[in-house]
Amino acid sequence: MKVESVMVTGANRGIGLEFVRQLSRLSEPPKFIFATYRSSDTLKDLKELEESSTKTKIILIKMDVTNPEEREAARNAIEETVKERGLNLLINNAGVSESQLFPHLTCENLELHFRVNTVAPIMVFQTMLPLLERAADQQGSTGALSVFRAAVLNMASLTGSIANAGVIFRRDLVVPAYKMSKAALNMAMRVVATNVKDKGILVINMCPGWVKTAMGTDKAVLEPEESIWTMINTLPTLNESHHGTFVDRKGNPYPY
């Protein structure tokens, strides 16, 4: 996977942390990985990766995805490093899931999920767009992204499928606000994808599967290593036919 620079949101734990770990250990790893985190209290594992990385420069950036000032500061920090080369890959990973059942949903619970899982990825994408455009404009790019020289990978969820709501994932009705926010993310990125297609920026909504993380719980069926390895291997196979689509970690289409 020949990508020079990657930004991973929510990189201090779970899926985000595993992305940083595996990307930095590829045979041809990115030159730079910008790993964002919200709280310095959860940095132990990420800092260990930063300090042990020999082939990739891992740059830690404090950024609450819902904070516009911190998003702008993150873009400025990344720009100082990548300059005219731009940002090749944005992984919108940061998310939240808090259980609250209908008919006891609160506005606060719904707003939290939409603010973090739907609005924030759009805003992060929008903030980083100039850097993604620079990467897309680079000539002579080869390898993973093919026609697209920059990409945005959004962590979707199969539980956000409207077609399968209450049919396949009945257990996940315990987190209705999460499901709603992920369904909204699919629509949001479908709309955004239409706007950036001619800019050479690939937009994908990909579900990592049910992964054993703090959010996924230990009842999940996938280890983080397996989930992320599959996604990393799927990325180079994606092309214009996948632009704006909703897929599983192997690149198979999934119903909206």
Side-chain angles (χ1 to χ4, degrees), residues 57-234:
K57 185 172 180 58
I58 299 174
I59 300 172
L60 276 54
I61 300 176
K62 184 180 185 304
M63 185 187 79
D64 181 334
V65 293
T66 67
N67 186 310
E69 288 79 17
E70 291 190 6
R71 291 194 300 263
E72 292 290 339
R75 182 184 64 190
N76 292 337
I78 293 171
E79 186 173 23
E80 286 180 8
T81 299
V82 300
K83 303 186 185 308
E84 294 307 313
R85 299 292 295 175
L87 178 67
N88 294 113
L89 177 60
L90 164 62
I91 300 177
N92 265 325
N93 165 73
V96 66
S97 177
E98 292 188 2
S99 177
Q100 196 169 87
L101 292 170
F102 182 85
H104 305 293
L105 285 169
T106 62
C107 290
E108 290 77 14
N109 182 264
L110 286 163
E111 288 170 356
L112 171 66
H113 285 84
F114 277 90
R115 186 169 64 250
V116 177
N117 297 344
T118 310
V119 177
I122 302 168
M123 294 296 102
V124 172
F125 189 166
Q126 194 165 264
T127 303
M128 300 303 157
L129 182 59
L131 302 184
L132 292 161
E133 289 177 327
R134 286 185 197 176
D137 286 341
Q138 296 297 317
Q139 300 300 314
S141 298
T142 60
L145 301 180
S146 186
V147 174
F148 296 94
R149 292 173 293 277
V152 178
L153 176 63
N154 302 291
M155 289 300 101
S157 172
L158 300 186
T159 66
S161 167
I162 294 174
N164 288 325
V167 178
I168 293 179
F169 296 106
R170 292 189 62 83
R171 185 198 67 81
D172 291 299
L173 293 178
V174 298
V175 283
Y178 175 80
K179 292 168 65 68
M180 295 173 199
S181 66
K182 287 298 186 177
L185 176 66
N186 284 339
M187 173 58 84
M189 289 302 172
R190 181 86 173 190
V191 171
V192 171
T194 304
N195 284 274
V196 302
K197 183 176 183 180
D198 294 335
K199 296 179 181 290
I201 302 171
L202 176 68
V203 180
I204 294 290
N205 296 334
M206 184 180 290
C207 176
W210 189 14
V211 186
K212 293 181 180 180
T213 63
M215 185 182 294
T217 76
D218 57 5
K219 295 180 180 179
V221 298
L222 285 172
E223 294 294 338
E225 296 83 358
E226 179 184 354
S227 168
I228 305 313
W229 180 246
T230 304
M231 285 192 283
I232 288 175
N233 279 278
T234 296

